Amino acid sequence: MQGSAGAAGANPPLLRVTDLTVRFGGIVALDHVSFDVDGGQICGLIGPNGAGKTTFFNCLSRLYPYQEGTILFDGRALEQVPRHGIASAGIGRTFQNLALFRTLTVRENVMLGAHARSHGGFLACALRLPGARHEEQRVRQRADELMNLVGLDAYATRPVADLPFGIQNRVELSRALARAPRLLLLDEPAAGLNHEEVEGLMGVIRRIRDALRITVLLVEHHMNLVMRTSDKVVALDFGRKIADGTPDAVQQDAEVIRAYLGGGA
């Protein structure tokens, strides 16, 4: 199946990946991968273990360099953005291994994410100047709005360490949203969740996209979640893109079936 890069549209894609190639010594982790993600889309990135999905996310996060190709985010070459500037540029990310402050409450964890975008200086905060107090109120209000969006209201004052994994997963998500990204990278958000929690996560991802008008790029092994949530799906195998299209089309693609099931389609 041919990719959708360069498809006609009123606006250029928010994310454009062209011939992205990553090598680690003699191993080709990504092999001339190209695809677009339009603003407001939920795009699922799938593939067997070792397909290159995490490598791709690490390139978007500027953790890995790439030897060939380009990544344009909102028309800007990503290699021009320093690693520490990725969040400020508008890209947020969650991780498979949660890195929460376990002794802090849910609200405090989410507020820490919002503080990364705040403008109050150290001295103003230390002296509790009026501007700093106003900023603190704004950060708290934003945290409460995000907790409401993802269904964390009832846990706001609870220490994170006391909560089940599925709830902690949503705290990680809320903290990433607090940085006000335009593109949110979700790294296997369904890992470790039970069936009921996965069903709830589907609704949360859609609400995030619709309410905040952000674009979501989702790496996930849970095919039911990907196919029911995504507007488009990109499939990788051994570092190559093998399919790019609607969920229905990708599910029926012979190369995708072969990559997941082995043998003939």
Side-chain angles (χ1 to χ4, degrees):
M1 184 190 307
Q2 295 300 313
S4 61
N11 299 307
L14 180 66
L15 180 69
R16 168 157 286 174
V17 181
T18 306
D19 291 329
L20 189 68
T21 301
V22 177
R23 301 185 185 91
F24 300 110
I27 298 174
V28 180
L30 291 174
D31 188 3
H32 294 90
V33 172
S34 299
F35 64 92
D36 290 348
V37 181
D38 292 333
Q41 277 190 323
I42 299 174
C43 177
L45 186 63
I46 65 171
N49 288 330
K53 306 182 299 297
T54 299
T55 297
F56 178 74
F57 259 30
N58 286 336
C59 288
L60 283 179
S61 303
R62 296 283 283 115
L63 297 176
Y64 288 173
Y66 38 95
Q67 287 71 47
E68 297 179 37
T70 59
I71 301 175
L72 297 181
F73 175 64
D74 197 22
R76 182 184 182 187
L78 204 61
E79 57 264 31
Q80 298 176 0
V81 181
R83 290 180 181 177
H84 66 268
I86 287 295
S88 298
I91 299 177
R93 178 178 178 177
T94 65
F95 292 85
Q96 297 177 40
N97 299 319
L98 305 183
L100 300 170
F101 293 90
R102 296 176 57 79
T103 60
L104 299 183
T105 67
V106 170
R107 177 182 284 117
E108 288 167 341
N109 269 275
V110 179
M111 287 177 67
L112 283 172
H115 274 302
R117 302 280 291 193
S118 66
H119 306 292
F122 173 79
L123 185 60
C125 292
L127 296 177
R128 302 291 296 168
L129 297 180
R133 292 198 299 270
H134 175 76
E135 183 74 1
E136 187 76 9
Q137 292 171 356
R138 184 194 66 80
V139 167
R140 183 185 180 93
Q141 180 180 355
R142 181 58 175 164
D144 287 349
E145 291 170 353
L146 292 173
M147 288 188 298
N148 177 263
L149 181 64
V150 305
L152 287 175
D153 302 72
Y155 307 96
T157 60
R158 297 272 300 277
V160 165
D162 295 346
L163 301 174
F165 180 80
I167 300 300
Q168 292 187 30
N169 186 291
R170 294 197 187 193
V171 178
E172 169 92 349
L173 177 57
S174 299
R175 190 173 62 179
L177 291 172
R179 296 182 176 91
R182 297 183 60 201
L183 173 65
L184 179 64
L185 311 179
L186 298 181
D187 192 356
E188 298 197 27
L193 303 186
N194 60 37
H195 176 75
E196 182 178 349
E197 289 169 334
V198 170
E199 287 289 327
L201 179 62
M202 293 182 192
V204 167
I205 293 173
R206 294 192 198 99
R207 286 202 303 275
I208 287 169
R209 189 271 306 274
D210 296 341
L212 303 180
R213 298 181 180 179
I214 66 175
T215 305
V216 178
L217 184 57
L218 167 72
V219 164
E220 184 54 69
H221 286 288
H222 197 293
M223 288 299 98
N224 187 40
L225 183 150
V226 173
M227 297 302 172
R228 289 175 56 189
T229 306
S230 303
D231 300 305
K232 72 173 288 182
V233 176
V234 175
L236 302 178
D237 189 31
F238 292 109
R240 296 183 305 108
K241 186 184 78 173
I242 58 174
D244 178 354
T246 65
D248 287 343
V250 169
Q251 287 183 92
Q252 298 172 31
D253 185 270
E255 285 199 68
V256 173
I257 296 171
R258 187 178 299 110
Y260 276 95
L261 302 180

